[in-house]
Amino acid sequence: MTPDRDQSQNRDQSQNPSQDQNRDKGQVRVPGQVRAQGPDRPPANRPRMSRGRGIIQQLVLLVSLVLLWLMLWDSITVVTVVSGIVLAFVVTRVFYLPPVVLSGRFNVWHALVFGLWFLYSVLHASIEVAWYAFRRKAVGAGSVIACDLRTSSDLVLTLIADTASLIPGSIIIDSDRAMGMLYLHFLDCDSEEKLRKAKAQVYYIEELLIRTLGSHRDLAALRARPDPLNETEGGRS
């Protein structure tokens, strides 16, 4: 090897020290390749939602808003239906929100189980709360509990919060979407046994909703954490 070639190679290495560092780390940069900005950056070729599926999700959202409008008016007439459709279009176009991602699955049997359990729970809790107003014994102190949910779906988390709030004696205080946490206040919850019972109710609501319309990812998380109450302190493993 000639001295001129040695000097040119040393000069190139001194001008491009990053190439030596990448080579030492086992990384070879391909010309034209874009370097990721962080370890959590998603791949560039991530599949996007198909147009047909996006249209279906928009229709489901519009129909849900129209049904909600009809339930608020408690009447089904031409005026309420047309005004509900117009209002649904206005809400989805003016007040833009991130799209609600549906799982693409719905289990009719688990939906029936969830509906029957919800009706029973509302009736039982209503009688129990009404009895608190008539009995002579004072109502026990309420407690705020935190539930580390297994779902990663915003829709399922919202349904869990709504279901728990509709059952008398409990109400949602706050939620942490990033961590998947729900904070609830329960009436007459002043013992360890009552605390476990309150948490078990929330986790059971989550299980029923995941089995009804949860994604395959949520079902896998449900199998990985079948009993959150018996997990070690610190939350998810």
Side-chain angles (χ1 to χ4, degrees):
M1 183 179 293
T2 61
D4 296 337
R5 185 175 298 175
D6 294 339
Q7 293 177 0
S8 63
Q9 289 181 353
N10 294 332
R11 190 182 301 110
D12 294 338
Q13 292 177 358
S14 61
Q15 292 177 356
N16 301 311
S18 60
Q19 293 181 356
D20 295 335
Q21 295 175 359
N22 292 337
R23 189 179 298 110
D24 294 338
K25 296 179 180 179
Q27 300 176 353
V28 179
R29 185 178 179 183
V30 180
Q33 182 180 3
V34 179
R35 183 181 301 174
Q37 300 297 326
D40 297 332
R41 180 169 179 171
N45 58 350
R46 181 176 57 186
R48 295 183 177 181
M49 183 187 302
S50 63
R51 184 176 181 180
R53 186 174 182 180
I55 294 175
I56 293 175
Q57 292 192 0
Q58 289 296 321
L59 289 176
V60 172
L61 177 60
L62 291 174
V63 172
S64 301
L65 291 175
V66 173
L67 291 177
L68 178 61
W69 180 255
L70 295 177
M71 287 188 291
L72 290 174
W73 281 99
D74 194 19
S75 64
I76 302 177
T77 62
V78 177
V79 176
T80 56
V81 173
V82 173
S83 60
I85 295 174
V86 173
L87 186 62
F89 272 103
V90 172
V91 168
T92 54
R93 293 300 179 269
V94 177
F95 304 100
Y96 177 76
L97 293 173
V100 178
V101 180
L102 303 178
S103 63
R105 58 174 298 273
F106 184 82
N107 189 291
V108 178
W109 169 250
H110 288 294
L112 179 61
V113 174
F114 170 75
L116 293 176
W117 177 87
F118 175 70
L119 292 176
Y120 168 78
S121 299
V122 170
L123 179 61
H124 181 270
S126 299
I127 298 174
E128 186 177 18
V129 172
W131 172 242
Y132 292 158
F134 293 98
R135 70 177 187 179
R136 294 184 178 181
K137 182 181 178 181
V139 180
S143 298
V144 176
I145 66 172
C147 294
D148 185 9
L149 301 179
R150 293 157 289 188
T151 181
S152 59
S153 169
D154 294 338
L155 177 61
V156 176
L157 187 145
T158 303
L159 292 176
I160 296 170
D162 292 341
T163 304
S165 295
L166 289 174
I167 299 176
S170 61
I171 188 172
I172 295 294
I173 296 178
D174 195 8
S175 64
D176 189 336
R177 174 177 174 271
M179 299 298 295
M181 300 288 293
L182 277 184
Y183 299 91
L184 308 94
H185 179 273
F186 275 84
L187 187 67
D188 190 20
C189 192
D190 54 355
S191 65
E192 187 66 26
E193 180 182 357
K194 293 179 180 179
L195 286 173
R196 289 182 62 88
K197 182 180 179 181
K199 286 188 175 183
Q201 175 178 291
V202 178
Y203 288 131
Y204 188 64
I205 295 173
E206 180 191 23
E207 179 181 352
L208 290 177
L209 288 173
I210 288 178
R211 295 189 184 279
T212 300
L213 46 77
S215 63
H216 295 287
R217 181 179 179 181
D218 289 338
L219 290 173
L222 188 64
R223 291 190 294 267
R225 301 178 59 203
D227 190 4
L229 289 176
N230 292 330
E231 292 178 354
T232 57
E233 189 69 23
R236 297 171 181 169
S237 56

